[in-house]
Amino acid sequence: MDAMADLGPVPGPTHQAKEFLAYESECRGVLKPLLAGLLDTAEAAGWKRRTAASALMFLAAQQVSDASRGTAGAALHNREEAKP
């Protein structure tokens, strides 16, 4: 099952990145229900919510780290290979 297909569009920012607090707050507000839905889906599949949240924090940090090293393409490639 591809639960991610049901996310729908993610609204873009209305604040500029230089307005850091408003920009960050808006981003959190947009992502919060998406994250809650993903955690609900993982929990319904049998994963402990705390474990899924921890895994997401790790993966998010890894994405930022990979992007800063210029290896985001490799991360995308690995994700594509993992698809059934």
Side-chain angles (χ1 to χ4, degrees):
M1 178 176 130
D2 187 5
M4 300 306 290
D6 297 325
L7 288 178
V10 175
T14 60
H15 296 90
Q16 294 182 11
K18 66 182 180 182
E19 300 174 78
F20 180 76
L21 293 177
Y23 186 79
E24 174 109 358
S25 177
E26 184 179 21
C27 185
R28 288 179 186 187
V30 166
L31 295 179
K32 186 175 182 176
L34 300 173
L35 178 59
L38 182 55
L39 289 171
D40 290 346
T41 300
E43 195 172 26
W47 293 101
K48 292 186 180 201
R49 192 173 193 90
R50 181 175 293 275
T51 301
S54 177
L56 289 170
M57 287 189 293
F58 173 83
L59 293 170
Q62 187 178 48
Q63 287 290 314
V64 171
S65 178
D66 287 348
S68 70
R69 283 189 246 136
T71 57
L76 177 62
H77 176 72
N78 292 340
R79 188 173 62 218
E80 291 299 319
E81 283 184 345
K83 288 184 180 178

